Amino acid sequence: MERRSLLRAAVLGGTSAALGGTLWRGAAYAAPAQPGTGPYGPLGSPDANGIRLPNGFTSRVIARSGQRVGSTSYTWHNAPDGGACYADGTGWIYVSNSEINPSGGASAVKFSSTGAITGAYRILSDTRQNCAGGKTPWNTWLSCEEVSLGYVYETDPWGTNAAVQRAAMGRFKHEAAAADPVRKVIYLTEDETNGRFYRFVPTTWGNLSSGRLQVMVAGSATSGSFTWADIPDPDGSPTATRSQVSGSKSFNGGEGCHYANDTVWFTTKGDNRVWQLNLLTNTYELAYDDSLVNGTAPLTGVDNITGASSGDLFVAEDGGNMEICVITPDDVVASFLRVDGQSSSEITGPAFSPDGTRLYFSSQRGTSGSSSGGITYEVTGPFRS
């Protein structure tokens, strides 16, 4: 997943565009791309599920809050949020958080090699407002509580082993997590207007019971170098973790987080930005900032983020046009899909099946605008590899 060091985007006609030059350093606009020139082309008319997709893609509903999943006896949770996929023999599993408080937790759906639903079950219970999280290289799901002094819980996607509270990873308003197997750390975002960006360094890689919680230290600019500093008191009491280290960099509403090839990307919803850290050079910069294209870019309300084997980033919107947008390695930002008729909801939990041919996501509140109206979808089609 090789990417250029900086993504630049503008829009023409509300669909997609590419931009030459480094916009936030005052470079002139290059000739923008025409609408529909994203890698998948323009969106079509809404399908039977109210989803606008590019040509060649189809959608189906996997689960609805309060209803049984497929032919199973398991009732799907309310407010589905962050998610991930896991290989399971010739099939796979999709896990999904529940962002309600109390009784949040997480659930899982099992699929056969043909995509048929073969099971559904609970993997985490009695927790609070489980928003996002992250997949570990040892195939567990880190489910994060988005509450003050929230915890990270390590869960088993197969539902065999009991979930474990990982207090060493710090107590704060957790959002997402992303594992870096090269540096053997877990990156963590914090959903506060003055949140921080953290990493957890386990004492032993593969065991999250102990280790050091560190925070990113950098200047106030949108690019530069950074270092890491230990958080003296990871339990966040009496002093919040974000206030313990002088010089730690503030981010406005940390959301999704994704790691690949010595780079970590994370989103901040308060200023509609995607950030990227080059972990080889210890430098950071903006990967996307819609305010610098006068709010006309297709991507607004940045939230959960995931990546494809092609190097494309897929960013879900909390608000905006209820879209998942793609940011390509060629600096193009385009709408990949749009959910119609659900303006009081948000898109959550984008994750690809192990073979990269299916994308799972949820509309957290569906058509009702209520946490009990969540809908989880699958999109199948010719994704780039």
Side-chain angles (χ1 to χ4, degrees):
M1 289 178 59
E2 181 179 355
R3 305 185 66 87
R4 285 193 277 174
S5 64
L6 190 61
L7 295 168
R8 300 169 294 275
V11 67
L12 179 67
T15 305
S16 70
L19 177 65
T22 308
L23 178 61
W24 36 83
R25 295 175 188 165
Y29 280 80
Q34 294 301 308
T37 55
Y40 295 104
L43 303 184
S45 300
D47 65 10
N49 297 317
I51 301 179
R52 297 177 182 266
L53 292 162
N55 185 46
F57 289 85
T58 58
S59 75
R60 68 167 172 160
V61 173
I62 297 303
R64 294 179 183 271
S65 295
Q67 298 184 22
R68 292 182 178 181
V69 180
S71 59
T72 75
S73 61
Y74 184 73
T75 300
W76 197 235
H77 55 258
N78 289 346
D81 208 286
C85 281
Y86 299 80
D88 178 45
T90 57
W92 60 92
I93 296 169
Y94 177 66
V95 300
S96 170
N97 280 343
S98 176
E99 195 189 12
I100 58 174
N101 187 9
S103 304
S107 303
V109 182
K110 292 187 73 170
F111 300 88
S112 71
S113 59
T114 63
I117 295 173
T118 60
Y121 45 89
R122 196 78 168 176
I123 62 172
L124 177 66
S125 300
D126 301 321
T127 54
R128 304 170 296 162
Q129 202 160 323
N130 297 78
C131 194
K135 180 180 179 179
T136 69
W138 49 93
N139 286 326
T140 58
W141 168 245
L142 301 180
S143 184
C144 299
E145 290 184 316
E146 189 195 0
V147 294
S148 178
L149 298 179
Y151 287 103
V152 175
Y153 289 84
E154 186 169 17
T155 68
D156 176 13
W158 285 263
T160 302
N161 299 311
V164 179
Q165 185 184 90
R166 296 303 189 190
M169 300 184 75
R171 298 193 65 185
F172 53 88
K173 199 173 183 181
H174 283 278
E175 185 70 31
D180 176 351
V182 177
R183 280 145 287 271
K184 298 182 178 179
V185 301
I186 308 288
Y187 303 104
L188 301 161
T189 57
E190 181 179 25
D191 192 358
E192 299 275 9
T193 56
N194 61 340
R196 299 301 196 260
F197 189 70
Y198 303 89
R199 73 175 187 180
F200 179 67
V201 186
T203 303
T204 302
W205 184 235
N207 183 343
L208 303 179
S209 62
S210 66
R212 292 176 295 148
L213 181 66
Q214 299 182 321
V215 67
M216 179 180 167
V217 175
S220 60
T222 54
S223 64
S225 60
F226 68 89
T227 58
W228 299 100
D230 288 348
I231 296 289
D233 187 12
D235 71 3
S237 179
T239 303
T241 54
R242 63 185 179 277
S243 302
Q244 292 183 25
V245 175
S246 177
S248 60
K249 186 169 178 61
S250 176
F251 293 98
N252 189 352
E255 290 285 339
C257 192
H258 175 68
Y259 168 86
N261 289 356
D262 299 310
T263 305
V264 61
W265 292 269
F266 63 96
T267 63
T268 51
K269 66 181 179 184
D271 47 18
N272 277 318
R273 287 171 166 172
V274 181
W275 299 81
Q276 72 179 52
L277 275 59
N278 183 325
L279 302 168
L280 295 177
T281 62
N282 286 335
T283 57
Y284 71 95
E285 58 192 335
L286 282 173
Y288 173 82
D289 184 354
D290 83 332
S291 70
L292 296 174
V293 287
N294 300 316
T296 57
L299 174 59
T300 58
V302 299
D303 203 301
N304 291 169
I305 184 171
T306 194
S309 59
S310 60
D312 295 330
L313 297 175
F314 286 75
V315 187
E317 291 186 335
D318 179 355
N321 293 321
M322 281 290 289
E323 294 181 342
I324 293 179
C325 291
V326 60
I327 304 177
T328 75
D330 297 323
D331 298 355
V332 172
V333 178
S335 303
F336 170 71
L337 66 80
R338 181 184 305 157
V339 181
D340 278 8
Q342 300 186 31
S343 59
S344 295
S345 186
E346 63 183 272
I347 293 181
T348 59
F352 282 95
S353 61
D355 66 359
T357 63
R358 302 168 191 249
L359 176 66
Y360 295 92
F361 70 94
S362 295
S363 170
Q364 189 180 79
R365 297 177 292 279
T367 57
S368 70
S370 166
S371 62
S372 62
I375 309 171
T376 300
Y377 300 96
E378 173 194 85
V379 167
T380 304
F383 288 100
R384 305 202 304 171
S385 59

